């Protein structure tokens, strides 16, 4: 079953001045024809003209009813492939995908932060500080023998 979308546009209110066309009715017909041709070029099909009431404000507290003329157009909506194919209640087993099971991932625990400090040493210095004992330690065997 075809489905349609509709578009409603206001009908022109005044006839434009067009060179070569005389009379208000001829100019109005030309303006209306231009609107309908423009909509038809976009694929819209003219359906009807409706006159509908619209309530408007007048002054601060007053209201009045005015009538609006509307042009109604429609065009067919392109059907998708999913809407055209029949749905199967119980599809064959070959088309049903097996569910995938994944193991839950363990939470990420941050590693404890360890602060390591090094004391820079030079090749000429036989003495190096021991960070555990807090005292100077002799590393040069010539100094230790004395």
């Amino acid at each position: 079953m075809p489905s349609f979308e509709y578009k409603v546009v206001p009908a022109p209110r005044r006839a434009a001045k067009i060179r070569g066309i005389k009379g208000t009715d001829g100019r109005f017909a030309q303006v209306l024809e231009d609107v309908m041709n423009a909509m038809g070029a976009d694929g819209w099909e003219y359906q009807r003209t409706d006159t509908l009431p619209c309530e408007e404000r007048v002054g601060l507290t007053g209201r009045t009813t005015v009538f609006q003329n509307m042009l109604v157009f429609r065009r067919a909506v392109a059907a998708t492939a999913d809407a055209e194919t029949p749905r199967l209640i119980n599809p064959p087993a070959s088309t049903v995908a097996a569910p995938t099971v994944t193991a839950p991932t363990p939470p990420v625990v941050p590693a404890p932060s360890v602060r390591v400090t090094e004391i820079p040493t030079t090749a000429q210095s036989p003495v190096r500080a021991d960070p555990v004992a807090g005292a100077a330690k002799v590393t040069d065997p010539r100094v230790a023998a004395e």
Side-chain angles (χ1 to χ4, degrees), residues 16-109:
K17 292 184 180 181
I18 300 171
R19 181 174 281 178
I21 300 177
K22 295 187 179 181
T24 305
D25 55 347
R27 290 193 310 256
F28 186 78
Q30 183 62 44
V31 171
L32 188 58
E33 181 180 323
D34 292 342
V35 170
M36 295 177 86
N37 284 334
M39 295 297 292
D42 290 337
W44 294 98
E45 176 187 0
Y46 174 74
Q47 291 297 298
R48 66 182 178 273
T49 300
D50 288 337
T51 302
L52 301 169
C54 179
E55 190 175 276
E56 290 183 352
R57 287 180 50 181
V58 176
L60 293 174
T61 59
R63 296 195 179 272
T64 185
T65 301
V66 254
F67 291 90
Q68 302 290 334
N69 295 316
M70 300 298 204
L71 303 174
V72 180
F73 296 88
R74 80 172 185 182
R75 69 178 171 189
V77 177
T80 61
D82 294 337
E84 296 296 324
T85 58
R87 295 184 184 212
L88 300 174
I89 296 173
N90 293 323
S94 62
T95 61
V96 178
T100 57
V101 179
T102 57
T105 58
V108 178
V109 179

